[in-house]
Amino acid sequence: MNVLKLSRRDFLKLTGVGAGTAALSQLGFEGRAEAAEPIRLDYAREVSTVCPYCSCGCGAICFVRDGEITSLEGDPDHPVNEGALCSKGSSMFNLRYEYDEHGNRQLNSSRLTDVLYRAPGSDSWEVKTWDWALEQIAGRVKETRDATFEEKDENNVTVNRTTAIAHLGSAAIDNEENYLMVKMMRTLGLVTIDHHARL
Amino acid sequence: MFKGRVCSLVNQSYLEVSCIADRACASDDLQKMVVAILKVQAQWSNTVTSDIIIDREELEAGLEAGHHVTEFLAPSIDHDDYRRAVADIVETLRAHSPQPPSPEAFVPEDLDTNDGVEKFIQSVLISDAETEPLHQLVGSLALIPWYMSFAHTVTETVNIGLWKSGLCPVCGHPPIMAVLGREDGVRMMECWLCRAQWVFTRLQCPNCNNTDQNKLRLFTVGGDDAYRVHVCDTCRHYFKVADARAFEADPLLALTDLTTADHDVAAKREGWLPFGRSPFREQSTS
């Protein structure tokens, strides 16, 4: 725990001078040492971050103590939000922590920390690695595309498409990134492309 | 709307101050003395006038280029008025001090001459180490009303939100402390001399402008998050900040600085150097 105690030193409580100046001493505000009392100093950091929810990219400041976030607020110096946070952004703290029935803070039990896979017909989740998941996704996209790709429709018009794959996203990235995503999907031949913003 | 401002209510707020903070590091008597001084300053600030001609474009261009306003203009200080202000300050200090020295000990002998006044003012502005501590205290306290009035006039016209430094955009002097705004958490620095307030980025050192968040920390004392000491591992300086969102009213930083003197002691014990200045604490600038 990153708490510095001054118990090994005498912390002088000066009843009049504070840090002490010669001028105040000349006026009769003499400091005197009272009983030594341990004073706790708690170090912390303010760390900036960006809201993950929508593509507005509002800035926030996390108050971090001993490697744990203890509070979060909008960043008043951020040009997008100037300190404000919407209802979703205001709940960013709950990505990490939630509260039990007694109001005690605890880690958010709903937060996913592993890749989970539910096989067809199964009623349970299996933990998988990222490498396995990415291999599966790439393999299944290719397999589906290969199986369903049509160069011409029934009227012999060149279409070069697959209607067996759809893409949904994303409200969490900016226009430039969305442009690239759509470009990639269209390159694969997708025509069913939508956006998940329903704000 | 200008982001920087002079604490425009400060005069009225200081005149209305009646309560003092329950903090053991500054005795009730000392706080009452400071409150009385603040009221004298507020009254004088309402009396003095700033007859200055402002070229807004020139000053704003200067601010953008890193030049504070007093590089172009300066407050006009009437010597007789200044002597009267000094006398009021001395009277107030003596009335509230446990063991005040004689009145002559408060001011230099040549204050009754114009050259003496000029020399006195200059010694205050440059924080001359050769000046007697009591003279420095009195001279500083008496000078504040002129700079407050000057800052008020300037900030009514000039957009000091263009300024990006940790030093004052009006007079170039160090701040006394900063406050996090009640509505938005914006960090507002307040000048020790003219009490202008300006915005300074929260995640940046006001002394060396370091923005590496791995080298910017803060500490609180005794679990009280309302007062923070921000420190920079690059330049090894510290700076105090009060969080106004923790209070029912905006704190008066000239008083809060005194009542958080324990934070200064803690910072110095930790090996941090002070950034900022206050007439009541040891003179220290970046």
Side-chain angles (χ1 to χ4, degrees):
Chain A
M1 188 178 182
N2 188 21
V3 172
L4 185 69
K5 296 189 192 299
L6 298 181
S7 55
R8 288 175 294 176
R9 319 177 192 189
D10 289 337
F11 187 92
L12 302 181
K13 273 181 153 185
L14 306 176
T15 57
V17 185
T21 69
L24 290 179
S25 296
Q26 286 180 263
L27 297 176
F29 291 103
E30 292 290 340
R32 56 183 171 86
E34 294 189 354
E37 183 176 314
I39 300 293
R40 189 181 89 234
L41 300 189
D42 294 318
Y43 276 88
R45 284 197 304 134
E46 290 183 323
V47 181
S48 62
T49 189
V50 176
C51 179
Y53 286 120
C54 81
S55 56
C56 288
C58 294
I61 295 178
C62 304
F63 200 81
V64 178
R65 192 164 261 159
D66 298 329
E68 285 292 335
I69 179 173
T70 59
S71 68
L72 181 148
E73 61 181 294
D75 183 351
D77 300 309
H78 199 280
V80 169
N81 57 316
E82 295 185 350
L85 288 175
C86 73
S87 54
K88 289 170 74 174
S90 296
S91 70
M92 261 192 282
F93 183 77
N94 300 117
L95 288 170
R96 176 69 176 166
Y97 291 108
E98 59 184 3
Y99 299 92
D100 64 19
E101 61 270 21
H102 304 296
N104 299 318
R105 200 175 68 193
Q106 60 186 26
L107 289 176
N108 188 334
S109 57
S110 301
R111 186 176 182 190
L112 296 178
T113 56
D114 297 299
V115 175
L116 298 178
Y117 171 70
R118 186 168 63 85
S122 170
D123 62 355
S124 61
W125 295 98
E126 303 167 46
V127 175
K128 297 292 186 183
T129 66
W130 274 104
D131 286 343
W132 179 90
L134 291 171
E135 285 276 347
Q136 285 292 311
I137 293 168
R140 295 185 193 198
V141 167
K142 184 177 187 321
E143 184 184 312
T144 305
R145 181 176 182 272
D146 288 349
T148 61
F149 193 80
E150 49 179 319
E151 290 185 20
K152 295 180 190 297
D153 65 6
E154 62 274 11
N155 297 318
N156 212 33
V157 174
T158 299
V159 292
N160 286 332
R161 69 187 178 196
T162 169
T163 57
I165 306 174
H167 179 261
L168 186 66
S170 171
I173 59 178
D174 59 35
N175 285 346
E176 289 76 12
E177 290 166 323
N178 269 314
Y179 166 79
L180 292 174
M181 294 279 275
V182 170
K183 203 174 185 70
M184 184 174 81
M185 295 303 125
R186 297 239 185 258
T187 302
L188 289 173
L190 270 69
V191 293
T192 314
I193 299 171
D194 197 356
H195 189 271
H196 80 272
R198 295 293 183 263
L199 297 172
Chain B
M1 184 175 177
F2 296 163
K3 273 203 151 178
R5 66 172 193 262
V6 167
C7 196
S8 58
L9 297 178
V10 70
N11 284 350
Q12 191 59 34
S13 300
Y14 285 144
L15 288 170
E16 291 171 349
V17 165
S18 58
C19 62
I20 56 178
D22 180 23
R23 290 186 62 84
C25 62
S27 69
D28 287 2
D29 288 342
L30 179 58
Q31 290 190 55
K32 284 176 183 169
M33 183 184 80
V34 172
V35 168
I37 292 290
L38 295 178
K39 289 183 178 179
V40 169
Q41 291 172 329
Q43 284 162 349
W44 268 102
S45 179
N46 287 337
T47 303
V48 301
T49 54
S50 275
D51 294 327
I52 52 175
I53 298 171
I54 294 177
D55 182 336
R56 196 181 81 138
E57 283 186 21
E58 179 189 39
L59 294 180
E60 289 183 356
L63 288 173
E64 284 189 294
H67 299 289
H68 53 82
V69 172
T70 52
E71 289 188 48
F72 302 90
L73 293 173
S76 170
I77 303 174
D78 180 272
H79 290 171
D80 288 334
D81 282 342
Y82 183 70
R83 289 190 197 91
R84 281 192 275 272
V86 165
D88 285 349
I89 293 292
V90 170
E91 182 185 334
T92 306
L93 290 173
R94 296 194 77 242
H96 289 82
S97 300
Q99 295 167 4
S102 64
E104 296 73 35
F106 285 83
V107 296
E109 290 176 354
D110 59 351
L111 196 63
D112 54 352
T113 68
N114 286 340
D115 283 347
V117 168
E118 283 298 326
K119 198 171 68 172
F120 193 36
I121 290 172
Q122 285 308 309
S123 73
V124 165
L125 292 175
I126 65 172
S127 190
D128 187 358
E130 300 293 318
T131 305
E132 287 287 326
L134 197 52
H135 295 180
Q136 184 77 262
L137 176 65
V138 169
S140 303
L141 297 176
L143 194 56
I144 285 173
W146 275 268
Y147 276 81
M148 280 176 69
S149 177
F150 177 79
H152 196 276
T153 302
V154 165
T155 55
E156 278 184 329
T157 309
V158 180
N159 178 12
I160 62 171
L162 298 168
W163 183 252
K164 303 295 178 200
S165 167
L167 298 176
C168 179
V170 175
C171 66
H173 276 253
I176 187 169
M177 268 186 78
V179 62
L180 300 184
R182 291 165 61 77
E183 290 185 5
D184 51 14
V186 168
R187 180 160 70 171
M188 299 293 292
M189 317 287 273
E190 182 171 306
C191 178
W192 82 266
L193 178 59
C194 69
R195 301 212 173 119
Q197 290 192 346
W198 68 100
V199 174
F200 193 79
T201 306
R202 275 180 61 172
L203 300 178
Q204 186 171 356
C205 174
N207 183 49
C208 71
N209 292 322
N210 167 42
T211 55
D212 182 350
Q213 294 174 21
N214 291 316
K215 295 183 178 170
L216 294 171
R217 294 183 285 157
L218 61 96
F219 71 80
T220 55
V221 176
D224 186 355
D225 286 347
Y227 305 104
R228 312 164 172 198
V229 179
H230 286 252
V231 298
C232 175
D233 287 312
T234 298
C235 67
R236 302 293 306 171
H237 280 73
Y238 79 89
F239 187 65
K240 295 189 297 184
V241 179
D243 190 346
R245 297 168 298 187
F247 308 116
E248 291 180 358
D250 288 333
L252 296 175
L253 297 184
L255 187 59
T256 305
D257 177 68
L258 189 76
T259 58
T260 53
D262 53 343
H263 290 64
D264 293 283
V265 176
K268 287 173 185 172
R269 292 284 178 120
E270 289 287 285
W272 304 106
L273 302 169
F275 170 75
R277 180 174 169 180
S278 164
F280 293 103
R281 286 191 282 117
E282 291 167 353
Q283 301 309 316
S284 50
T285 59
S286 61

